Amino acid sequence: MAVGIIATLKVQEGKDKDFEAIFHDLAKAVRANEPGNRLYQVCKSRKDPNAYVVMEIYESDEALKAHGASEHFKTIGAGLGPTLAGRPDIQYFDTI
Amino acid sequence: MAVGIIATLKVQEGKDKDFEAIFHDLAKAVRANEPGNRLYQVCKSRKDPNAYVVMEIYESDEALKAHGASEHFKTIGAGLGPTLAGRPDIQYFDTI
């Protein structure tokens, strides 16, 4: 069974372009380097311009672990902190 | 820009298998009949066995409207009501 993730992130006022640039690089690295990733889609809320979600699907828990342990996640993801307004909320699902 | 949807649905105790069977048919119909749909993935929460999300991506607002107006959404979706524990929560996003 595949694993679905919804990561909800709140961005500081005025940091949305920085945030989007980092996620653009991160999404590119995920697609290029993670064969176990099936979906990595960043989305901006239509209701709150500082709210984003990332829809993610991995073919297994191992593929999800490989994502979290990857060099690109650590190095590119490190730039996210200063753009965020709080801790990301991560929800875990099994695909049906 | 594509449209992302996260639909959150709570199911009545013991109705999860009915719910999943209906969504199995609905997802099949969406994939077969909606060229503007790019993703229609039903996911079950790992934290709450009665909570589900549907991750959806449409290539445009028109494609999203076509989904809501489709015969399969109306006929198959009509069976969902008796399985749900409340009104679905629908969040709208622009893909980045």
Side-chain angles (χ1 to χ4, degrees):
Chain A
M1 205 181 294
V3 188
I5 301 281
I6 295 177
T8 303
L9 303 107
K10 292 274 194 161
V11 171
Q12 293 173 41
E13 194 65 43
K15 294 286 177 68
D16 55 328
K17 293 301 162 204
D18 293 349
F19 173 90
E20 290 181 18
I22 293 167
F23 257 103
H24 179 262
D25 291 347
L26 190 51
K28 214 157 79 174
V30 167
R31 285 173 194 139
N33 298 298
E34 295 184 34
N37 174 271
R38 292 187 193 164
L39 177 75
Y40 199 82
Q41 180 62 59
V42 186
C43 298
K44 185 184 182 85
S45 170
R46 287 189 170 180
K47 202 171 162 185
D48 175 353
N50 295 320
Y52 292 80
V53 296
V54 191
M55 298 181 187
E56 306 173 41
I57 299 174
Y58 299 88
E59 66 182 18
S60 64
D61 281 316
E62 288 65 38
L64 172 60
K65 268 183 212 155
H67 169 72
S70 68
E71 205 50 39
H72 55 268
F73 184 73
K74 289 178 190 167
T75 53
I76 304 173
L80 279 178
T83 72
L84 298 180
R87 289 174 67 88
D89 173 67
I90 315 287
Q91 295 177 75
Y92 297 86
F93 300 88
D94 291 311
T95 62
I96 296 292
Chain B
M1 203 181 298
V3 188
I5 302 281
I6 296 177
T8 302
L9 303 108
K10 293 273 194 160
V11 171
Q12 293 173 41
E13 194 66 43
K15 293 287 176 70
D16 55 329
K17 292 303 163 202
D18 293 349
F19 173 90
E20 291 180 19
I22 293 168
F23 257 102
H24 178 262
D25 291 347
L26 191 51
K28 213 157 80 172
V30 167
R31 287 174 193 137
N33 297 300
E34 297 183 34
N37 174 271
R38 292 187 192 164
L39 177 75
Y40 199 82
Q41 179 62 60
V42 186
C43 299
K44 184 184 183 85
S45 169
R46 287 188 170 182
K47 201 171 161 187
D48 175 352
N50 295 320
Y52 293 81
V53 297
V54 190
M55 300 182 186
E56 305 172 42
I57 300 175
Y58 299 88
E59 66 181 19
S60 64
D61 281 317
E62 288 64 38
L64 172 60
K65 267 183 215 155
H67 169 72
S70 68
E71 205 50 39
H72 54 268
F73 183 74
K74 289 179 191 165
T75 52
I76 304 174
L80 280 177
T83 71
L84 298 180
R87 288 175 67 87
D89 173 68
I90 314 289
Q91 297 177 73
Y92 297 86
F93 300 88
D94 291 311
T95 61
I96 297 290

